[in-house]
């Protein structure tokens, strides 16, 4: 029996996984648009749209913390449902854009801090690239709020592309 030559063997195209981090902001949606316009995706490649979801209780902590207030369970459940609906609407809009561009995409919504979620999930997915939008914070805001993109550049193992927000059009 003859052994097939290398050039005769059909190799499946390598699967490339690109993670795009989305946070319901226009900056992250712009990063997705940039990725779909700029990166060449093969038929077997996929885009993973990832969103790090926080608990509604963490939103309350910005106003003095739930420990300082008596908050009903119903209020938290209603906030949870509203947040879930908003996230799914945004992520579905992103999936529709991918479908329109004929790029395979899946959404992944994970509870946790965005920095940790994005870096951990990117590693688990063996991503080839992470695309993330930039809010364009200055040095002071970045110091107090932190920068998810900066954290990812230093902690994610694959290449990271930070897409700057669209420049605002100036009226003439």
């Amino acid at each position: 029996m003859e052994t097939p030559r290398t050039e005769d063997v059909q190799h499946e195209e390598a699967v490339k996984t690109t993670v795009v981090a989305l946070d319901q902001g226009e900056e992250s949606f712009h990063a997705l648009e940039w990725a779909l316009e700029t990166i060449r995706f093969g038929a077997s490649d996929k885009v993973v749209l990832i969103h790090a979801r926080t608990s509604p209780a963490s939103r309350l902590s910005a106003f003095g913390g739930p420990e300082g207030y008596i908050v009903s369970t119903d209020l938290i459940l209603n906030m949870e449902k509203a947040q879930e609906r908003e996230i799914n609407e945004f992520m579905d809009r992103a999936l529709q854009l991918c479908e329109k561009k004929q790029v395979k995409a899946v959404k992944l919504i994970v509870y946790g801090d965005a920095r940790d979620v994005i870096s951990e999930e990117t590693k688990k997915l063996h991503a080839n690239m992470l695309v993330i939008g930039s809010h364009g914070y200055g040095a002071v805001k970045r110091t107090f709020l932190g920068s998810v993109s900066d954290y990812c550049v230093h902690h994610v193992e694959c290449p990271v592309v930070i897409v700057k927000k669209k420049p605002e059009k100036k009226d003439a």
Side-chain angles (χ1 to χ4, degrees):
M1 179 183 267
E2 188 176 322
T3 306
R5 296 177 303 176
T6 306
E7 58 269 10
D8 293 337
V9 177
Q10 291 288 330
H11 291 285
E12 187 178 325
E13 184 180 343
V15 176
K16 178 174 58 183
T17 300
T18 302
V19 173
V20 179
L22 298 173
D23 68 358
Q24 294 176 267
E26 287 306 310
E27 295 87 359
S28 67
F29 200 80
H30 172 63
L32 172 61
E33 292 171 325
W34 178 89
L36 295 172
E37 292 294 327
T38 308
I39 301 168
R40 193 172 131 240
F41 295 100
S44 61
D45 295 339
K46 69 177 176 181
V47 171
V48 178
L49 307 173
I50 188 167
H51 178 80
R53 182 176 177 183
T54 56
S55 165
S58 68
R59 287 185 184 176
L60 292 174
S61 66
F63 301 105
E67 65 277 350
Y69 296 92
I70 298 173
V71 180
S72 75
T73 307
D74 288 341
L75 176 62
I76 294 201
L77 289 173
N78 286 337
M79 289 175 69
E80 184 82 28
K81 287 177 186 174
Q83 180 188 47
E84 185 175 343
R85 189 173 44 256
E86 291 170 6
I87 292 168
N88 279 313
E89 286 172 2
F90 185 85
M91 296 297 276
D92 289 345
R93 184 175 144 219
L95 283 171
Q96 289 169 357
L97 180 62
C98 293
E99 187 178 309
K100 181 180 173 186
K101 299 289 185 177
Q102 299 178 335
V103 174
K104 288 182 201 171
V106 295
K107 68 180 179 180
L108 179 61
I109 301 169
V110 181
Y111 271 99
D113 179 75
R115 297 175 223 354
D116 298 328
V117 166
I118 294 167
S119 42
E120 289 168 14
E121 295 300 324
T122 300
K123 185 175 183 173
K124 285 182 196 174
L125 291 163
H126 305 286
N128 300 87
M129 179 186 302
L130 169 63
V131 177
I132 189 166
S134 170
H135 287 278
Y137 294 148
V140 174
K141 271 192 178 178
R142 211 172 30 251
T143 300
F144 289 105
L145 298 176
S147 169
V148 174
S149 57
D150 185 61
Y151 181 90
C152 289
V153 164
H154 293 93
H155 293 87
V156 172
E157 296 175 359
C158 65
V160 178
V161 176
I162 301 172
V163 181
K164 291 184 178 184
K165 65 181 183 178
K166 292 180 183 179
E168 294 181 21
K169 293 181 182 177
K170 296 180 181 177
D171 294 331

